[in-house]
Amino acid sequence: MTTTETRPDLAELDPVFAQMTEATAAYVRAIPELTDREKTFLSVTADVCQASLGCAFEAHVRAGLAAGVSTGDIRELLRFVSYDCGYHAAAAGVERIGLPRPDAEPLAPELVSTGPDAAPSPLPPAVRARVAELDPHFAGFFDLQSRMRTGHGPGTLSERERGLVSLSVDVHYQTLADTFRTHVGRALRGGASPEDVRAALRFNAQFGVTRAWHAWEAVNEILAQPSTSSASRPR
């Protein structure tokens, strides 16, 4: 990540605040259920959702790169999270990241089409039916967004990672009803255990403890349901 700014050390600005920040970061970074890659993704997602694109964003990106997360991984995260946080917010992250333009293959025409030549929607039928009840055009928007995020290969996020990132967006925006339930289910289907989902909430507490509090109430109810617990079993 490049920058032309010379940022003062946090300890120079406020040594007590720096001490509080370091203690908090050390506590949540020690959460064992999440990988360094997942912690980077959750941190950058929080930065984008909360428009925190200053020194914290830079520190999170640099920490990820130091832990072996590639620039391609971070770019893929920003592309993916734009679905839920909005393209305007994700675009600010793409601009701020300051990395060289990637050598990426463009998406296939059928993935960006909304006409008769479009690829089938990858949305689960139950989810698509629920969205279609709200508005047909909105359902078409969901289809398009889902088609553009169907890749699973080098430089893409795993289903577990997508689920943990998506449910974290819900925590930041406090959308803790249907979408939160769907995203928790996605993480479980991707191989995350209920304890892994709880670990994501523990990690997100650093980005707003009151938001995490409300999310805990929602996720404990979701995970207590037998249908949700069965979603974590391999299929």
Side-chain angles (χ1 to χ4, degrees), residues 185-220:
R186 164 183 266 179
L188 296 174
R189 288 192 302 274
S193 68
E195 197 62 21
D196 295 334
V197 171
R198 294 186 178 98
L201 261 64
R202 293 176 185 131
F203 190 81
N204 277 315
Q206 66 183 303
F207 306 118
V209 70
T210 53
R211 285 187 287 265
W213 185 326
H214 288 289
W216 272 113
E217 293 175 337
V219 83
N220 283 340

Side-chain angles (χ1 to χ4, degrees), residues 164-199:
L164 295 178
V165 164
S166 294
L167 70 86
S168 294
V169 175
D170 289 320
V171 175
H172 301 310
Y173 292 151
Q174 292 291 278
T175 48
L176 301 175
D178 288 351
T179 59
F180 189 52
R181 186 181 305 276
T182 297
H183 294 152
V184 168
R186 164 183 266 179
L188 296 174
R189 288 192 302 274
S193 68
E195 197 62 21
D196 295 334
V197 171
R198 294 186 178 98

Side-chain angles (χ1 to χ4, degrees), residues 48-123:
V48 173
C49 288
Q50 299 185 21
S52 175
L53 298 175
C55 58
F57 178 74
E58 181 174 342
H60 292 151
V61 171
R62 288 188 181 280
L65 296 177
V69 181
S70 72
T71 57
D73 294 333
I74 296 174
R75 285 188 179 278
E76 182 63 25
L77 169 70
L78 294 173
R79 294 180 189 124
F80 173 73
V81 80
S82 62
Y83 190 166
D84 288 316
C85 75
Y87 279 89
H88 64 300
V94 171
E95 179 181 2
R96 178 68 184 87
I97 202 171
L99 294 170
R101 179 177 175 178
D103 183 16
E105 288 291 328
L107 296 174
E110 63 269 19
L111 298 181
V112 296
S113 173
T114 56
D117 59 334
S121 173
L123 280 174

